[in-house]
Amino acid sequence: LQLVESGGGLVQPGGSLRLSCAASGFTLDYYAIGWFRQAPGKEREGVSCITGSGGSTTNYADSVKGRFTISGDNATNTIYLHLNSLKPEDTAVYYCAAESNRYCSGFTCFEGCMDYWGKGTLVTVSS
């Protein structure tokens, strides 16, 4: 079971990126998928969560609401995070993770309930 993130890079403030989280070995439909990030010198924080690749339920951290959008693609078993209006404070390593047990956090992507993690992709927002 594997999650692989991609799409990170260097972008100017106000710019956009699309991060991808490709799953292999399991079907995302039966999981909650979360995006987390960890900035230099800071603790990892939750960014967004989606229930299954069909996207029946989504939520966002207050710091990214209105700027980031999470979506899924059943055909490719991939979850995306669209990052718009990027700010320097969005600079971080972004990780995707999967939660398999709805009875742990009700599929709300509580960090302690995530079973599988990718290795991360670096987003740097700088002029």
Side-chain angles (χ1 to χ4, degrees), residues 63-86:
S63 59
V64 306
K65 276 181 184 176
R67 300 189 299 121
F68 292 7
T69 304
I70 193 169
S71 64
D73 185 335
N74 287 334
T76 61
N77 211 31
T78 301
I79 298 294
Y80 300 100
L81 186 68
H82 305 262
L83 288 63
N84 298 311
S85 302
L86 282 161

Side-chain angles (χ1 to χ4, degrees), residues 51-118:
T51 306
S53 58
S56 59
T57 303
T58 60
N59 58 60
Y60 300 91
D62 288 343
S63 59
V64 306
K65 276 181 184 176
R67 300 189 299 121
F68 292 7
T69 304
I70 193 169
S71 64
D73 185 335
N74 287 334
T76 61
N77 211 31
T78 301
I79 298 294
Y80 300 100
L81 186 68
H82 305 262
L83 288 63
N84 298 311
S85 302
L86 282 161
K87 304 176 182 179
E89 52 263 42
D90 294 317
T91 295
V93 178
Y94 284 71
Y95 302 89
C96 66
E99 177 182 0
S100 64
N101 182 5
R102 67 171 60 246
Y103 298 109
C104 186
S105 79
F107 274 176
T108 59
C109 297
F110 177 68
E111 187 172 344
C113 291
M114 309 309 285
D115 302 291
Y116 308 103
W117 290 84

Side-chain angles (χ1 to χ4, degrees), residues 9-10 14 28 37 41 126:
L10 173 63
L28 290 175
R37 67 185 181 184
S126 175

